[in-house]
Structure formats: C-alpha cells, structure tokens
Amino acid sequence: MKQRVAILGSTGSIGTSTLDVIARHPERFEVVALTAATQVDLLLQQCVQFKPRYAVMASEAHAQLLADKLKALGSSTTVLKGAEAISAMASHEQVDIVMAAIVGAVGLAPCMAAARAGKRLLLANKEALVVGGDLFMRAVKAGGATLLPIDSEHSAIFQSLPEDAKTWSARVDKIILTASGGPFRTREPQTLGDVTPEQACAHPNWVMGRKISVDSATMMNKALEVIEAHFLFGLPSQRLEVVIHPQSVIHSMVQYQDHSVVAQLGTPDMRVPIAYGLSWPERMASGAKALDFSSLSDMSFEAITTRGHSERFPGLKLAWEALEAPAGTTAVLNAANEIAVAAFLDKRIRFDQIYAVNVETLMALIPSPASSLEHLLALDAESRAIAQGLAQGLSR
C-alpha cells in the first residue's frame, strides 16, 4: 500500500527536494496535500505533476488565483486557504506522512497538529522544537507520532545513535554537530558590518532559502540546531558541542562513553536525509551523488574558540545561554532572530546588528513556562514586537 504524504511548504528547497525523491518512487508514495505561502505558479506546476487531492495557500488571494488556474486546466485538486487549512492537512485522516518544511515559528501549529494526530512527522522545521520545546515533545508522545529529524545534522545524529532511545543518555558521552562555517568563516570580524544580503546568502556548500542562508552565515542556524538537539535527543546542553567542518562531508557525530565516535557521512544533498525519513527504517535511492572518497583530499576541523570564530559568530553561544535560562527563552530567541534576519534582508539593519537585536530582546523579556500552544504563540508575538522595535531603532 502506498504511503500518503502531505508536504507543508512544498515550494521551498526542502519541499521541492522531497517531491524529487517521491517522483523516483511512484510505487511507494502518493502526494495527498501540498501547501505554500505565495508561489502560485510553482505550486500549480507541482499540482499538475503530482495531482494532490488538496492544495493550500496561506492567503485567500493566492488561493483564489491558484484555484482559477487549476480549474482552467481541468484539475480535480481542491484548493484551500489559511493557517487552519494547513493544520488540517497535517492531521488529515488520509495522510500517513507529514513533511514539515515551513520555515519559521509559523510552522509550529501544523507540526503540533500532526503530532497530536499520530503521524510520521518528518521535521525540517527546527523552530517547532526551538519554540515548542517540551510542549511539542509531549504532544508527540501523547499522539503516538513518529518524529524523524530531516535537518542533515540531526538526521546524522539519529542515524549514529543506538536504536533503543532509552539507552541514549547512558551510553552517549556527547553529541557533536558539524558546521560549515558558512561564507564568512575566514572573513575578518571587524568587516562584517559591510556584508550585503547577497553575500550572506551565497553559501559555499548548500543550496537553501534566504532566511536559513543568513542563519548559516551568522551560525545562528547552529545555535537553533543545538537547542533542537537538546529536545530531540534528551541530552543536557553541556553534552552538546559544535565543531566547524568546512567540507560538509561529515554531517554530525556521536561520541560514546568509551570515547569511540560514530559519524554519518555523505554529499551535501538534502535528498539523503529526506529519503531516509520517508523510507525509515529501510533505505531507498535518494538521487544524490555517491560520496567519492578518492576526491576527498582533505577533511578539516576547527574549534569554535579558535581563529576568531567567537568574534565572527557571537550568536552561537546564545544556544547554551537560552537552554540554561527559564523555559520559553528559546522561543524568545527564535522570534528575535526571525525579525532581525528579515530586517537585514530588507537592508534596514546591518549584518552585525542581528546579534544585537537577539541579545537585547532576550534581556527585555523573561518568559513564564508555556502551558499551551496559545501561550507559546502569545510569547512569540510579544518577542517579535520587542525585536521589531529594536530593529527600527537601529535602522534610524
């Protein structure tokens, strides 16, 4: 029987890569639902090719435009609109697998819906864990969902851990996440104020969306991944480490109590963890190139504390600080960072001011523990308002 898939954020880089993998295995998967924010023409192409039962767009205007174009082609796909419809697709009874690829905290609600409905949830939206934290993990447990990480680093860790999750903490010494260092790994820290959005989005190894590309350039993506790893794998922050590995061949490592290290290697292609998540516990072809060891002339590593990296990537340390702070602080950090990155991409603040917005937002707001999704969303909104005001002050 085919596995029925909903892809939340199908027009982004993860969504399109997921569809590429699915297209290679038409006998195994059926696309039931696709969702997008604003890219009507690309979603239209995807609907024509994969013929989903449902397509959802974030706004009524975009949904109407898509519906008109599909009708003209004689498509039977039903077009829906809005956040509630996206969450409905995530929990739909006709869906077995949910690929959560919506960028940002807006993806939390549909991820919670999928978790409560007991779906196989392929999590490419790290903010669901960074913002949702323990509340999200409790929803996964209560719903009986299967949570599989899709970020290359967390997928690598998952593949390198013992199969029995109950023994992770006892057998593992620490988790080591690798980072490429992004486009500014060797740039002089004092020149970062001159960085343009185009330069920040030019990642040397990975093809990603603009927001996550900027996060990689500041290494805030790694800070968020440290937080995500804490909630995913249940290890305290002191047992989470980051090392720079410019070649992006080793995607992450697990060091065991005997100090042996298990690492997952592969080409920097997101179709590898996507294919693993879709087929787990089996394996299937991803379309990615095989790793050619004869061409690997060098694999190098750099500590975060060396070569000026502490000054170059000051935001990384906020991960450990947020995890040691009151519950909900990670949600504040995520919201501030989303606002700061958007302000930088709009050229309203400098690249080096992203960190300033994040730190000052954390100082301005001490959260109380979140007891519900509504509470989390309110905290997110309050944090964004503070960060927005700080960004506006810097842009004057």
Side-chain angles (χ1 to χ4, degrees):
M1 184 179 295
K2 291 184 179 182
Q3 292 288 291
R4 300 166 297 181
V5 184
I7 303 176
L8 314 182
S10 67
T11 57
S13 61
I14 295 295
T16 55
S17 293
T18 302
L19 287 171
D20 180 86
V21 174
I22 287 175
R24 297 170 189 274
H25 302 276
E27 76 288 354
R28 297 188 61 159
F29 303 102
E30 173 191 356
V31 177
V32 173
L34 299 174
T35 83
T38 61
Q39 296 192 61
V40 173
D41 289 338
L42 181 51
L43 185 54
L44 175 67
Q45 295 173 25
Q46 293 173 344
C47 289
V48 170
Q49 180 178 355
F50 292 94
K51 299 177 174 56
R53 301 176 205 178
Y54 304 98
V56 185
M57 300 223 67
S59 75
E60 183 174 359
H62 288 104
Q64 188 61 57
L65 184 57
L66 177 64
D68 291 342
K69 292 189 175 189
L70 284 171
K71 184 178 180 181
L73 295 174
S75 171
S76 61
T77 297
T78 299
V79 179
L80 305 171
K81 65 179 187 297
E84 290 186 4
I86 295 173
S87 291
M89 293 301 101
S91 58
H92 200 286
E93 61 181 6
Q94 295 177 347
V95 169
D96 304 307
I97 300 174
V98 176
M99 168 58 78
I102 297 175
V103 177
V106 68
L108 174 59
C111 284
M112 290 284 285
R116 290 165 175 161
K119 305 299 183 184
R120 172 181 289 205
L121 179 54
L122 310 186
L123 192 65
N125 173 280
K126 63 174 60 69
E127 290 84 3
L129 276 165
V130 174
V131 178
D134 289 326
L135 188 70
F136 175 70
M137 292 305 294
R138 288 197 297 270
V140 170
K141 184 176 181 179
T146 300
L147 182 62
L148 298 173
I150 299 301
D151 272 354
S152 60
E153 296 82 1
H154 300 90
S155 177
I157 293 164
F158 182 74
Q159 294 178 57
S160 301
L161 283 167
E163 290 187 6
D164 183 7
K166 294 179 181 179
T167 69
W168 286 351
S169 183
R171 297 169 64 181
V172 171
D173 180 32
K174 62 181 177 181
I175 284 172
I176 306 167
L177 293 100
T178 57
S180 69
F184 307 134
R185 180 177 64 86
T186 60
R187 183 161 175 151
E188 291 298 325
Q190 63 267 25
T191 70
L192 291 174
D194 301 325
V195 164
T196 67
E198 292 72 27
Q199 291 172 325
C201 291
H203 196 282
N205 299 339
W206 298 92
V207 177
M208 304 179 291
R210 283 165 63 80
K211 194 269 180 182
I212 193 171
S213 294
V214 174
D215 282 347
S216 182
T218 62
M219 276 190 58
M220 271 303 300
N221 71 318
K222 211 55 51 177
L224 299 177
E225 287 169 12
V226 167
I227 296 167
E228 184 180 5
H230 164 74
F231 290 114
L232 266 176
F233 305 117
L235 292 185
S237 59
Q238 299 89 341
R239 291 163 67 184
L240 303 173
E241 186 177 310
V242 173
V243 62
I244 291 181
H245 169 50
Q247 295 79 20
S248 297
V249 173
I250 295 177
H251 298 304
S252 277
M253 300 171 275
V254 175
Q255 180 172 298
Y256 285 83
Q257 293 288 353
D258 59 2
H259 287 177
S260 64
V261 177
V262 176
Q264 189 267 343
L265 288 71
T267 53
D269 190 322
M270 286 305 299
R271 290 177 296 179
V272 175
I274 289 168
Y276 182 71
L278 286 168
S279 63
W280 180 85
E282 302 173 13
R283 300 269 183 172
M284 68 182 189
S286 66
K289 291 182 179 179
L291 193 62
D292 180 5
F293 284 93
S294 66
S295 68
L296 295 179
S297 59
D298 180 38
M299 283 202 296
S300 60
F301 302 89
E302 302 167 8
I304 293 298
T305 55
T306 62
R307 305 194 183 192
H309 292 324
S310 296
E311 295 76 24
R312 197 172 285 114
F313 307 118
L316 181 59
K317 66 183 179 182
L318 297 177
W320 289 270
E321 293 177 5
L323 286 172
E324 295 298 323
T329 301
T330 57
V332 176
L333 174 60
N334 178 77
N337 186 62
E338 287 190 22
I339 294 298
V341 170
F344 165 69
L345 288 172
D346 290 341
K347 300 183 179 180
R348 291 185 283 115
I349 66 171
R350 299 193 313 268
F351 180 81
D352 58 342
Q353 291 176 323
I354 294 173
Y355 173 69
V357 171
N358 290 341
V359 169
E360 292 184 38
T361 304
L362 289 170
M363 293 175 62
L365 181 58
I366 300 176
S368 57
S371 57
S372 65
L373 175 59
E374 292 71 25
H375 188 168
L376 274 177
L377 294 177
L379 175 61
D380 177 78
E382 184 179 5
S383 304
R384 287 170 188 275
I386 292 172
Q388 197 72 260
L390 291 167
Q392 288 174 357
L394 290 171
S395 66
R396 293 194 184 104

